[in-house]
Amino acid sequence: MRDTHLPSLRTIEELRAALAMGYGFPGDADGFEAELAREINHADPADLSGVVRLVEEFRGRVIARQDPSFDSAVAAAVAEIRSARENDR
């Protein structure tokens, strides 16, 4: 899904909503919930840096997935890696 009008991603609920609407990669909505629960359950109540890291990661995934040049950048990187591997043989 490509959409130039990303929903706001300022809160965990807004991020959840964006993932549920398919703005991330396939499986991101469930993956986010599972990782968030794991981070919260294992976090020191005084240190939620793991939760912050996770939110930043998935927010970045939503933004990257909506970037029109993302697919072409990935395809170019894959082609470069394949070419390097063939040249090493």
Side-chain angles (χ1 to χ4, degrees), residues 4-53:
T4 57
H5 304 301
L6 275 176
S8 176
L9 300 171
R10 294 176 299 209
T11 67
I12 289 176
E13 275 310 306
E14 290 171 344
L15 179 55
R16 277 181 167 141
L19 292 170
M21 290 186 292
Y23 280 93
F25 292 92
D28 273 359
D30 291 336
F32 176 72
E33 291 302 326
E35 290 186 45
L36 181 62
R38 192 170 26 259
E39 284 293 337
I40 290 172
N41 289 334
H42 294 97
D44 176 338
D47 180 13
L48 296 177
S49 59
V51 173
V52 171
R53 178 205 50 80

Side-chain angles (χ1 to χ4, degrees), residues 72-85:
S72 60
V74 169
V78 168
E80 186 177 321
I81 291 167
R82 285 183 177 154
S83 176
R85 286 182 178 168

